[in-house]
Amino acid sequence: MTYQKGQIIGGYTVLFYIGEQTGGELYRVRSSQGRLCFLKLFTPASFPSAERMSDEHPALLGRGQAVVEPSEVTLRRNILHPNVCQFIDSGIAEDNRHYMVTQFVSSETLADRLRRLSVMTVEDACQLTAALLRLLNDLHRQGIAHRAIGQQSILLDLTGTLDDFRLTDFAQAADAEGVSVADDLYAAGRLLFRMVFGMEAEQPLRIPNLQLPSNGGKQWGGVDRLTRVLSKALADDASCRFSSANDFLLALTGRADHLLSSLNPSPSDHAKGFAKVQGGGFADVAGMKELKKLLSEEVLYVLRDRERALRYCLNIPNGMLLYGPPGCGKTFIAERFAEEAGYNFRFVKSSDLASIYIHGTQEKIALLFDEARAAAPCVLCFDEFEALVPQRTQTQNAGQSAEVNEFLTQLNNCGEDQVFVIATTNQPLLIDTAVLRRGRIDHLIYVPMPDEEARQQLFDIHLKNRPKAADIDCQRLARLTEGYIASEVAYVAHQAALRASRTDALITQQLMEQVVSETKPRTPADTAKRYEAMRLQLEQRREQRPKIGF
């Protein structure tokens, strides 16, 4: 705060300091005629990046001088709209700082109101958003994008209706022809979301359940239309959002429902990517002899010879869970498994199944399994499985429980359709118990940190096709990297290759050991013990099922 109450700024008397705005300080002032005004005092360093030559500054008329003024002043001088505080004056204060004077309104910011109320009614939120969109439509037609719309930049008139709000803080506005308006439209959608739900919208978008009175939001189409409008305004894919403020306004007011008709997801939107994995199969997996033997004898054997399995009445497995410390190659093993089986492969992240629709994730799960059956035989590999099927006893979210139920339904007998599920996780105890029962996830397989033999093979693999000296001793490197996970071994080889490449030299044992000495493992020393304890707990939990009947 530069000025105190009673001080003068260019002929205006300071009444009190309001706060900071982008690029300056905001004051309530009184003119020499007794008129209340807002005055923005610009910070000198704030406008060189947005400076502009004015034709002739009003304060210097008759002196034959031209000055550089903040572009916000030039822009505001030309904006005439009831939802923008009217420009009154500008000039240079006694300390040579630029100032701008605008119309005063008795108001509070939207941020202040939301702090008091937490949420607004659907009617009020939509009324304010519609008024904002009408203003944006006018600004955009003039080639002006505000680019800083938020709770602090909206003043709510305390003496009028929500339609009488004022948009302030044009410091980041652009007035170039063809300026992008996408940021303004997205910000308007985020404001509507915040006003209705009392929380910030995040990507991937998840719209909470909204309960309204029987007549709540009726004039705005109720929950269904509001959900669809927000889904489009805040779509994860920016190309699917509203292209103009007018389209957004028409959809919000129910005059253009056709703009919302393209929101229904199709199977191809979220079930792409089934393909054969190319590589050396299990030969590419360093160490882990027992794990590879178990997979070959108990899982791959049945999948490869289904006729014999059926003849002996063997159950066709539905899936397995690979769990263990992070960075130990669980996803890599899943890919090699699909290659050994000759199955198509699809990697699925939790965000791939997130939906902007209520119950939309359930639909995506069902459609994904339908697509998998069409691409069979295939492997569906779910990463961070605990995020998709968390313990239902630990959540109050009915939607999330329904998603777990959908997974339970799809996992039942999916192996008979030649769809094999591989789930990977670092937190197996967070997964819902029903998902892990036999008949859904048939095998729980622990993927440990690489032992010395595995680390030696990892160094062999990562150095195999790189220019290296004859003195490389992978066995010694394995001994030096006790406690390293697979990704850290790969990092050591990469860093050594990077350094050697700068001088077009061979990778030597000395260079490798130097990189090892500089690269300490980030995995805590007790990780292996913690996961062994977790392994025992998981296996005991799986076996401890209540007895029913005889």
Side-chain angles (χ1 to χ4, degrees):
M1 181 175 64
T2 306
Y3 287 84
Q4 305 290 332
K5 180 179 179 180
Q7 290 185 290
I8 305 298
I9 305 176
Y12 295 86
T13 303
V14 174
L15 298 180
F16 62 83
Y17 171 71
I18 296 176
E20 290 188 6
Q21 267 200 347
T22 306
E25 302 169 349
L26 191 63
Y27 296 86
R28 181 189 293 186
V29 298
R30 191 184 300 277
S31 71
S32 57
Q33 293 80 31
R35 181 182 182 182
L36 291 176
C37 308
F38 287 128
L39 184 147
K40 181 171 183 177
L41 185 67
F42 291 91
T43 304
S46 68
F47 68 85
S49 61
E51 65 186 19
R52 177 169 311 188
M53 289 298 298
S54 65
D55 296 331
E56 196 167 283
H57 197 281
L60 301 176
L61 282 173
R63 302 183 190 179
Q65 300 180 43
V67 298
V68 178
E69 67 178 13
S71 62
E72 182 177 1
V73 176
T74 306
L75 191 68
R76 290 293 297 275
R77 188 180 284 116
N78 299 315
I79 296 178
L80 295 175
H81 195 282
N83 291 120
V84 178
C85 293
Q86 182 181 355
F87 177 88
I88 295 175
D89 190 15
S90 66
I92 300 177
E94 290 74 8
D95 60 358
N96 292 321
R97 293 171 63 180
H98 287 261
Y99 66 84
M100 177 179 65
V101 182
T102 61
Q103 169 195 14
F104 171 80
V105 290
S106 178
S107 60
E108 66 177 348
T109 65
L110 178 59
D112 291 335
R113 182 162 299 188
L114 289 175
R115 274 193 288 269
R116 287 191 294 106
L117 302 180
S118 180
V119 298
M120 296 170 64
T121 66
V122 170
E123 289 80 359
D124 285 351
C126 290
Q127 181 184 352
L128 177 56
T129 304
L132 174 61
L133 291 170
R134 285 191 288 268
L135 168 60
L136 291 177
N137 192 46
D138 288 343
L139 292 176
H140 294 168
R141 283 190 299 184
Q142 299 175 52
I144 299 171
H146 187 276
R147 301 197 298 186
I149 291 173
Q151 298 173 38
Q152 291 290 351
S153 62
I154 292 180
L155 297 180
L156 302 180
D157 193 330
L158 297 177
T159 63
T161 65
L162 289 170
D163 290 341
D164 296 324
F165 82 96
R166 299 295 190 280
L167 182 62
T168 67
D169 199 358
F170 281 76
Q172 298 181 44
D175 61 352
E177 291 187 7
V179 68
S180 172
V181 300
D183 289 347
D184 285 355
L185 302 181
Y186 185 68
R190 286 180 62 86
L191 280 180
L192 178 57
F193 188 99
R194 171 64 182 86
M195 288 187 284
V196 171
F197 294 109
M199 64 180 71
E200 299 296 334
E202 297 180 352
Q203 297 292 356
L205 182 66
R206 181 180 290 273
I207 297 181
N209 292 323
L210 181 63
Q211 300 296 327
L212 295 178
S214 58
N215 62 344
K218 188 174 181 179
Q219 70 179 101
W220 301 99
V223 172
D224 180 61
R225 186 193 298 154
L226 178 62
T227 299
R228 296 172 71 203
V229 168
L230 285 171
S231 298
K232 187 171 182 67
L234 302 175
D236 299 346
D237 183 351
S239 65
C240 295
R241 298 172 189 162
F242 293 110
S243 59
S244 71
N246 191 54
D247 283 354
F248 194 162
L249 178 62
L250 291 174
L252 182 64
T253 55
R255 290 177 289 165
D257 284 346
H258 66 279
L259 294 172
L260 306 176
S261 62
S262 62
L263 289 173
N264 295 326
S266 63
S268 60
D269 290 334
H270 55 78
K272 298 177 181 178
F274 288 96
K276 294 288 186 182
V277 179
Q278 302 297 324
F282 280 162
D284 290 341
V285 179
M288 302 188 185
K289 292 180 180 178
E290 292 185 5
L291 186 151
K292 289 185 284 189
K293 181 180 179 182
L294 182 150
L295 293 178
S296 296
E297 295 181 355
E298 296 195 17
V299 185
L300 285 170
Y301 165 73
V302 178
L303 295 181
R304 285 170 176 160
D305 196 344
R306 291 171 60 86
E307 290 186 6
R308 181 182 299 185
L310 293 174
R311 191 166 70 249
Y312 281 86
C313 299
L314 300 178
N315 293 326
I316 304 299
N318 295 312
M320 64 183 177
L321 176 74
L322 301 179
Y323 69 97
C328 292
K330 294 183 286 294
T331 303
F332 184 75
I333 292 171
E335 292 176 344
R336 304 283 76 78
F337 176 92
E339 185 181 359
E340 289 281 342
Y343 277 27
N344 292 318
F345 182 82
R346 168 75 159 88
F347 181 73
V348 184
K349 306 184 298 296
S350 58
S351 59
D352 294 338
L353 297 177
S355 175
I356 55 181
Y357 308 99
I358 299 171
H359 306 307
T361 294
Q362 287 176 255
E363 183 179 0
K364 281 193 171 186
I365 294 168
L367 288 171
L368 177 59
F369 274 88
D370 286 344
E371 193 76 10
R373 293 183 183 96
C378 69
V379 168
L380 280 176
C381 178
F382 292 97
D383 190 35
E384 297 181 350
F385 198 47
E386 75 282 357
L388 293 168
V389 286
Q391 287 275 10
R392 285 169 292 178
T393 56
Q394 304 299 319
T395 180
Q396 302 298 319
N397 188 326
Q400 198 167 47
S401 295
E403 293 160 14
V404 175
N405 291 336
E406 184 64 39
F407 256 109
L408 295 177
T409 301
Q410 295 296 336
L411 285 171
N412 285 331
N413 304 317
C414 65
E416 295 180 3
D417 297 322
Q418 292 188 290
V419 175
F420 188 79
V421 170
I422 300 180
T424 68
T425 182
N426 305 324
Q427 300 290 340
L429 298 179
L430 300 182
I431 296 174
D432 193 272
T433 307
V435 176
L436 298 181
R437 77 160 173 81
R438 289 182 173 85
R440 291 193 177 112
I441 297 296
D442 301 280
H443 300 278
L444 307 183
I445 298 176
Y446 177 57
V447 181
M449 296 175 64
D451 56 18
E452 184 175 321
E453 180 184 359
R455 293 195 301 276
Q456 179 179 342
Q457 292 184 27
L458 282 170
F459 278 115
D460 282 330
I461 290 171
H462 290 300
L463 293 173
K464 181 178 179 180
N465 297 317
R466 287 176 164 142
K468 59 184 180 295
D471 66 343
I472 294 291
D473 185 349
C474 292
Q475 186 175 10
R476 173 173 169 75
L477 292 173
R479 289 196 300 269
L480 294 174
T481 50
E482 179 69 33
Y484 285 58
I485 59 177
S487 60
E488 289 169 337
V489 171
Y491 177 81
V492 168
H494 174 78
Q495 285 299 106
L498 180 63
R499 296 185 190 183
S501 70
R502 291 171 184 160
T503 58
D504 201 21
L506 295 176
I507 302 171
T508 64
Q509 179 72 12
Q510 181 181 0
L511 178 58
M512 290 291 293
E513 292 188 17
Q514 180 183 347
V515 174
V516 168
S517 67
E518 297 171 0
T519 308
K520 301 303 179 185
R522 296 181 180 179
T523 307
D526 65 341
T527 296
K529 291 183 179 179
R530 286 193 296 107
Y531 272 92
E532 283 294 341
M534 192 183 298
R535 177 183 184 179
L536 291 175
Q537 185 178 351
L538 182 66
E539 291 175 354
Q540 290 173 0
R541 192 180 75 176
R542 186 172 186 175
E543 297 303 327
Q544 290 174 354
R545 300 182 64 191
K547 294 182 179 180
I548 300 176
F550 52 87

